[in-house]
Amino acid sequence: MAGQRGQRNGVGVTPPAPTAAEITTPIPRVTEVPAARERARAIPEAAVARLAVYLRVLSGMQEQGAGTVSSEELAVAAGVNSAKLRKDLSYIGSYGTRGVGYEVSVLIEEIERILGLTRKHSVAVVGIGNLGHALANYGGFPGRGFPVTALFDVDPDLVGVPVGGLPVEHIDDIPRVCAEREVSIGVIATPPPAAQTVCDRLVEAGVQCILNFAPVVLQVPDHVEVRKVDLAVELQVLSFHVARRADNGAAAEQAAAAAAVDSVVDTVVNARPVRGGAVERGTVERGPSAGRVNGARVNGAGGMVVS
C-alpha cells in the first residue's frame, strides 16, 4: 500500500532496506523563510524602536541577575504602558507565562533575533570632528554587536592618526576599506555639504544601512536604508513641549484668577444690607425683579444701592 511500506495490517515491522535508486536520488531541499523573519516584516517601525528599548532594559536586568520579569515591571522600566508592551512582544511570538512573566534570557534572544543582532555589524564612521570622535571612542557599540572597524576623514592632519585605537583613513579609500572590512553600517557625521558625496561612496562600497547625523536629506537607492538623527529637530520638539506646558500653566492660572473674581462677584451680588450695618447673604431675583437683590438694586459696578 502506498505510504504504508514496512507495515502489515497496521502492525509496524522493520522497514526494508532502501533501493539503489532511493540512495542516489537527492532529497529535495526545502527553501523557506524562517518564521522569525516573516514576523519581523509585519512589525510596525514604531514597535521596532520600542523593541530596541526593551532589549536595553532587559540586558541591564540580566546583568543584575534577574531571571524573570513581569510585563508591568518591564513596561515601567521602558517607559511604556503594559498593554502596549504586551502587544509589541506579541509581534515576536512571545506571550509570557501567567503568574510568572517573561524569562529575561529567552526574551533577549527573541528580540535579538528579530532585530538581526545574532551576528556582528561592522560600523564605519565618516567625519572625525567632535561628534565623530565621540562615536569612535564610545565603548558601548562593540558590546551590543556594533564594533567600529573604520574611520574616515578628509583632513590631512587627521588621516593616519589613531582615534579610539583605529587609524583614520581618507574618504577616497571608503569603497576599498569598507569592502575589505565588510562594513554593513555607515555613520555620517560630516558637515552638510559633504554628506551626499560620502553617502554615495558608502553605497558604492556596498553599505546598505546609513545613520545620518548631517542635517540634510540623502538621496539613496531603494535598497539602502537611511536613519536620520537631527539633534536640532529633537531640541525643537522639546521646545514645543516646554512651550505647551508653559501655555497650559498660564491658562490654568488665568482660569484660577477668573474663578476667584467670580467668587467675589457672587458674594457681593448675593448679599443684602440688614439693620445694624451687617451684610446678609441673599438671592438674585429672576423675572420682572431682575437686577434687584432681595429689594436692593445692584448698580453697574457690582455695588448695591438700597431702595
Side-chain angles (χ1 to χ4, degrees):
M1 180 186 297
Q4 298 287 329
R5 190 180 64 205
Q7 293 186 357
R8 182 184 302 112
N9 298 328
V11 180
V13 297
T14 304
T19 64
E22 290 175 325
I23 294 176
T24 57
T25 302
I27 299 174
R29 183 176 181 180
V30 179
T31 57
E32 61 179 2
V33 179
R37 289 290 90 200
E38 289 289 352
R39 289 198 301 270
R41 292 192 180 97
I43 302 178
E45 188 168 346
V48 173
R50 290 192 294 270
L51 286 175
V53 175
Y54 303 152
L55 179 60
R56 172 176 55 81
V57 173
L58 288 165
S59 298
M61 291 180 173
Q62 187 179 53
E63 292 174 359
Q64 296 176 2
T68 60
V69 60
S70 68
S71 59
E72 289 76 13
E73 291 171 335
L74 183 54
V76 170
V80 301
N81 63 67
S82 57
K84 180 175 292 185
L85 179 137
R86 286 191 292 269
K87 176 66 174 178
D88 292 340
L89 296 184
S90 72
Y91 287 121
I92 65 175
S94 181
Y95 297 91
T97 304
R98 184 179 297 276
V100 177
Y102 300 89
E103 290 189 36
V104 172
S105 60
V106 172
L107 195 51
I108 287 176
E109 291 177 0
E110 291 176 348
I111 296 177
E112 286 181 339
R113 187 178 300 109
I114 288 294
L115 296 182
L117 301 178
T118 52
R119 67 182 183 89
K120 300 293 184 181
H121 294 275
S122 296
V123 178
V125 179
V126 186
I128 311 302
N130 292 332
L131 178 58
H133 266 85
L135 295 172
N137 285 289
Y138 179 54
F141 289 147
R144 297 186 181 182
F146 301 96
V148 177
T149 60
L151 305 174
F152 300 96
D153 203 284
V154 71
D155 188 346
D157 293 334
L158 284 174
V159 174
V161 176
V163 176
L166 285 174
V168 178
E169 312 277 352
H170 195 277
I171 63 171
D172 290 342
D173 296 326
I174 286 178
R176 176 183 60 81
V177 174
C178 286
E180 290 175 355
R181 301 178 189 179
E182 299 181 341
V183 171
S184 55
I185 299 176
V187 179
I188 298 178
T190 66
Q196 185 62 56
T197 299
V198 168
C199 175
D200 293 341
R201 295 187 182 185
L202 288 171
V203 172
E204 179 185 350
V207 176
Q208 298 185 8
C209 297
I210 296 174
L211 181 62
N212 178 31
F213 283 92
V216 295
V217 177
L218 299 176
Q219 304 299 320
V220 297
D222 292 338
H223 69 278
V224 176
E225 185 72 21
V226 176
R227 298 284 296 180
K228 184 178 179 182
V229 180
D230 193 326
L231 299 179
V233 169
E234 298 302 323
L235 291 173
Q236 290 166 354
V237 171
L238 291 175
S239 174
F240 163 77
H241 289 293
V242 171
R244 184 176 63 177
R245 291 178 182 177
D247 291 341
N248 290 341
E253 291 179 359
Q254 292 176 358
V261 170
D262 290 344
S263 177
V264 172
V265 171
D266 179 69
T267 299
V268 173
V269 171
N270 292 302
R272 66 181 180 185
V274 298
R275 187 175 300 173
V279 176
E280 181 180 338
R281 294 295 301 274
T283 57
V284 178
E285 297 181 1
R286 304 295 181 185
S289 301
R292 301 184 67 82
V293 181
N294 290 339
R297 179 166 53 84
V298 181
N299 64 19
M304 193 159 48
V305 179
V306 179
S307 57

